[in-house]
Amino acid sequence: MRKFTLPLAIMLAVVVVFALLMNANDGAAPAKFESQDDHAATHTMGDPIVRDVVVSTGAGVHIDPASLPAPGAINEWAEIRTVETASTDEQTRVRITYQVFYGVRGPETAELPPLRLRFEGDGGSPDVEAPALPVSVMPLIPPGIPDEKVAIRALRPAEPRTYSPYPQWLALGLGAFGAGLVYLMWMRGLLPPFAGPLPFRRASRELQRLANQPSPGRAACLVLHRALNETAGEAVFASGLEAFLDRHPEFGRLRGTLVEFFASSRRLFFEDGSDGEAYALCLKLARQARRLERRTS
Amino acid sequence: MSADLKQTQLADWRQRALGFEREVGKAVIGLDQPIRHILIAVFARGHVMLEGDVGVGKTTLLRAVARCLGGAYERVEGTIDLMPNDLVYHTYINEFGKPQVDPGPVLKHGEDLSVFFFNEVNRARPQVHSLLLRIMAEHAVSAFNREHFFPYLQVFADRNRVEKEETFEIPSAARDRFMMELHIETPADPALRRALMFDPKFHDVDRLLDTLTPGLLPYREIPQIAPVIQQSVAASETLQQYALDLWEATRRPAGYGVKLDGIDMDRLILAGASARGVSMMMRAARVAAWLDGREFVVPEDIHGVFRETIAHRVFFNPVYELRRTALIDELLDAIRQRVAAP
């Protein structure tokens, strides 16, 4: 009895140590396989299959990218569309998206091939193999129906999209555009009911009409005086020019021309009646004032 | 008189007039505008009424003007018991115990009288106002069975606006005889106020006036140069139309778009400016243009004398007359703003 007991105990010890060593190895790189297939258990041609392989790893261990499968056809009925990896200190997740191109006449079972992933790190790590994944494939056409009798499946309706923010943005944009347009038209006097008085714009038009008259200086001065008075809301005289410019600083740059205009008007109406270049001066002043008036009205 | 000679004469007179203005300004500070207006009245041959608070320099101003103008000067104080005869003759018992009649302040200097200053004119009775009216309008008075003429006479009067007791408001006809009514106020400039307060020069008015050059203007020649000025300064057709519009606006302000807050413009005016009034306004405007070195009138010349020549000639309905002081300035400003030229 003792003769057999010692060798048996030694063998048992070796087996236990070996088993412990195997367990130790398994703990260093355990593999957890997941198959996330939102198309239930069966697939038809064209369905995607998402497979997640999660590998627990130790610190300093990382997957060898060369061991990852490359996108493309893997056999006559399936291909890999995408391969994505995400690693942390404790685990590495490999997500592979397959697509089925298997046309069958009746239900069949096929297999996605196993995966062999290689890890590198301090002390090295063994390869991890994910087993083959069985896939049930169903025909697109129910069995037993001749092709000509097959009712063509209705077109897939467009996916409903949420437009909720767009109408608001659209309304806001249109509103801003409309307001800008109205403002622009108002500034340029293209909205008569709301344009307000634009005396120099009107004066410019009236002066254009005077161009063909034999001696338009007097009439031109009158037109411009009216425009000035209308702009000021009161009669403007030469002595009141500075007060006018204080109230309407937009015409400040015309001070010199305005002084010249009042001097010309004084000669014309109160002194010797000499016309001189009154018309040209009025035309020039009206054009300049009209431009300034547009920007400020 | 040739045109060149006339121009030379006018230029010389203008220099004298401006010298007169500067000289008066030495004694009366802060009253540049009233001095200019009095100068205008002198050359437009118009009488002037001064109005203002007590002690603002009305009398000093007129005394300075009288001294620099030259000629005889007389002054009368208005009192409630003053009678017209008191201006014309003076009765008393002489040193021989016999009654004697001497010429009064108006007749005393004969035709040499150039400035007659009636102080506190509103204290005198209406009978006195009547006599004054005639002297002002006709430069003449009847006394001792004959007419006495005062070709160089210029009447200045003043009226204080503080006291109303025992006063007689001057009738509109009398006020219309005055070319201008000038409002005199204490200068607003602090430096001038300080000078009036602390500079001993202004404390003794008699001594101050003695420092002025007397007779700067040959007063006997003023009646001759005055019409020359009026003829030499032109008023264009446009200017005339503007003056007519101003006149009409004093009569029908609503017709010219004149509006005052809270005032029924259709009921405001009882009587607008008189023809004599606007005539005086234009005479004054011509003189203003001449003093400014021009031979033509511009609207600003009229603006410069508009209030002074028109304000006392516009009469409000009784409901508004109590607010006259505030309303008249508003009205005239609004008229100037609404009536355009050209």
Side-chain angles (χ1 to χ4, degrees):
Chain A
M1 186 65 186
R2 275 193 70 179
K3 198 175 170 180
F4 295 102
T5 304
L6 186 59
L8 188 60
I10 292 170
M11 285 178 65
L12 281 172
V14 170
V15 169
V16 168
V17 168
F18 183 74
L20 286 172
L21 284 172
M22 287 299 290
N23 281 338
N25 271 341
D26 287 345
K32 179 185 176 188
F33 307 111
E34 292 177 8
S35 175
Q36 293 178 348
D37 180 3
D38 55 1
H39 205 271
T42 59
H43 305 275
T44 56
M45 190 165 65
D47 283 351
I49 300 171
V50 177
R51 186 177 196 191
D52 275 346
V53 177
V54 179
V55 181
S56 298
T57 59
V61 177
H62 56 86
I63 194 167
D64 179 5
S67 67
L68 292 170
I74 52 173
N75 52 37
E76 70 276 9
W77 61 271
E79 71 172 29
I80 295 175
R81 303 301 304 268
T82 61
V83 178
E84 300 164 32
T85 61
S87 297
T88 65
D89 285 345
E90 286 135 10
Q91 64 177 26
T92 297
R93 177 184 293 270
V94 179
R95 170 167 289 182
I96 303 169
T97 305
Y98 299 91
Q99 192 165 22
V100 177
F101 292 103
Y102 198 15
V104 293
R105 285 285 180 180
E108 286 187 24
T109 299
E111 275 190 348
L112 292 172
L115 287 173
R116 180 174 292 276
L117 303 174
R118 189 167 55 252
F119 286 84
E120 297 173 336
D122 298 338
S125 295
D127 292 350
V128 174
E129 184 170 314
L133 182 66
V135 176
S136 297
V137 183
M138 292 291 290
L140 286 170
I141 303 169
I145 299 177
D147 288 353
E148 62 274 13
K149 296 279 181 74
V150 172
I152 296 175
R153 197 161 54 178
L155 290 174
R156 190 177 180 184
E159 289 182 13
R161 298 184 63 179
T162 308
Y163 288 102
S164 57
Y166 299 117
Q168 292 173 17
W169 283 109
L170 188 66
L172 205 62
L174 284 174
F177 176 74
L181 192 66
V182 167
Y183 176 70
L184 209 62
M185 292 176 74
W186 174 69
M187 273 213 315
R188 292 184 171 267
L190 298 175
L191 286 179
F194 308 103
L198 290 171
F200 288 107
R201 184 186 180 84
R202 191 173 61 241
S204 289
R205 285 199 298 263
E206 290 179 26
L207 289 177
Q208 297 284 358
R209 287 198 288 270
L210 293 174
N212 295 326
Q213 290 194 4
S215 181
R218 197 176 181 86
C221 279
L222 284 173
V223 165
L224 215 52
H225 272 298
R226 273 201 298 272
L228 272 168
N229 294 347
E230 196 176 339
T231 302
E234 63 181 47
V236 181
F237 297 90
S239 59
L241 179 57
E242 286 306 315
F244 170 78
L245 292 176
D246 284 346
R247 288 194 300 273
H248 296 274
E250 68 269 21
F251 297 116
R253 70 177 73 165
L254 301 183
R255 176 179 274 104
T257 316
L258 282 166
V259 168
E260 203 179 338
F261 163 71
F262 274 107
S264 172
S265 171
R266 174 176 282 194
R267 280 194 301 275
L268 191 56
F269 290 102
F270 304 117
E271 194 175 353
D272 52 12
S274 58
D275 193 320
E277 298 296 319
Y279 177 73
L281 178 64
C282 290
L283 200 59
K284 172 184 159 191
L285 181 55
R287 283 176 177 160
Q288 291 176 343
R290 184 187 65 184
R291 281 197 286 274
L292 297 172
E293 182 182 46
R294 277 179 179 175
R295 297 192 186 100
T296 56
S297 55
Chain B
M1 187 186 299
S2 72
D4 287 346
L5 188 60
K6 189 189 288 184
Q7 290 306 318
T8 307
Q9 189 184 24
L10 285 173
D12 290 345
W13 270 97
R14 181 167 172 269
Q15 290 308 317
R16 288 181 196 165
L18 296 178
F20 169 89
E21 188 177 34
R22 284 192 296 272
E23 191 69 10
V24 175
K26 290 177 184 172
V28 188
I29 57 174
L31 295 178
D32 294 347
Q33 275 300 103
I35 293 172
R36 171 54 68 102
H37 284 127
I38 287 176
L39 182 61
I40 289 172
V42 166
F43 283 95
R45 306 304 295 147
H47 309 293
V48 178
M49 168 81 82
L50 303 185
E51 185 195 55
D53 295 340
V54 178
V56 292
K58 298 188 294 290
T59 308
T60 306
L61 170 62
L62 292 184
R63 288 179 63 189
V65 167
R67 180 173 174 82
C68 293
L69 193 56
Y73 163 76
E74 273 301 325
R75 170 176 168 169
V76 169
E77 302 296 325
T79 59
I80 193 170
D81 57 350
L82 185 72
M83 296 304 289
N85 290 343
D86 296 331
L87 299 182
V88 178
Y89 57 84
H90 172 48
T91 59
Y92 62 103
I93 305 298
N94 67 14
E95 62 269 31
F96 306 109
K98 291 186 176 176
Q100 185 163 339
V101 179
D102 282 349
V106 172
L107 298 182
K108 193 190 295 181
H109 303 284
E111 66 175 24
D112 281 340
L113 183 63
S114 69
V115 174
F116 184 74
F117 175 28
F118 204 132
N119 201 21
E120 303 240 32
V121 67
N122 54 336
R123 289 191 178 281
R125 290 170 174 274
Q127 299 95 315
V128 178
H129 295 159
S130 296
L131 177 68
L132 190 65
L133 270 182
R134 179 169 179 206
I135 296 173
M136 288 164 65
E138 301 174 13
H139 287 228
V141 69
S142 297
F144 307 118
N145 296 322
R146 72 177 182 91
E147 291 282 304
H148 299 263
F149 293 96
F150 314 101
Y152 320 115
L153 176 65
Q154 190 135 26
V155 173
F156 295 97
D158 88 353
R159 182 179 62 182
N160 86 62
R161 61 175 184 175
V162 175
E163 291 158 313
K164 297 292 178 192
E165 302 244 340
E166 292 189 345
T167 62
F168 300 89
E169 193 47 63
I170 304 171
S172 57
R175 293 180 75 175
D176 199 53
R177 296 294 203 283
F178 287 97
M179 170 177 270
M180 294 184 184
E181 270 198 17
L182 304 182
H183 186 68
I184 309 293
E185 283 190 342
T186 305
D189 183 352
L192 296 179
R193 289 187 170 196
R194 188 182 292 265
L196 288 173
M197 244 180 124
F198 296 104
D199 189 341
K201 182 174 90 169
F202 297 108
H203 296 171
D204 187 339
V205 174
D206 291 332
R207 184 171 293 177
L208 175 66
L209 295 178
D210 282 345
T211 64
L212 301 182
T213 308
L216 274 176
L217 293 178
Y219 70 97
R220 285 176 175 273
E221 297 174 31
I222 291 176
Q224 281 81 51
I225 196 66
V228 176
I229 295 170
Q230 295 297 317
Q231 290 156 11
S232 303
V233 178
S236 69
E237 186 70 29
T238 307
L239 193 282
Q240 290 177 26
Q241 185 57 51
Y242 177 60
L244 283 167
D245 285 341
L246 283 178
W247 182 16
E248 186 60 17
T250 67
R251 304 162 68 84
R252 291 189 309 104
Y256 287 81
V258 176
K259 292 177 185 169
L260 302 181
D261 284 344
I263 302 296
D264 180 354
M265 297 306 294
D266 292 326
R267 295 181 58 206
L268 175 65
I269 302 294
L270 184 65
S274 63
R276 176 166 45 212
V278 289
S279 160
M280 287 182 174
M281 177 184 81
M282 284 312 301
R283 276 163 52 191
R286 279 191 156 106
V287 175
W290 169 68
L291 287 173
D292 207 28
R294 275 180 281 105
E295 294 176 4
F296 57 93
V297 185
V298 294
E300 283 83 350
D301 295 323
I302 298 180
H303 295 166
V305 297
F306 187 55
R307 192 202 178 287
E308 289 71 20
T309 55
I310 297 298
H312 60 287
R313 295 186 162 94
V314 176
F315 299 95
F316 296 149
N317 273 306
V319 68
Y320 296 115
E321 191 62 38
L322 286 176
R323 295 165 57 194
R324 174 179 191 80
T325 307
L327 285 181
I328 190 66
D329 283 343
E330 275 187 57
L331 176 68
L332 296 184
D333 283 346
I335 288 174
R336 270 187 302 203
Q337 288 169 1
R338 297 303 305 176
V339 180

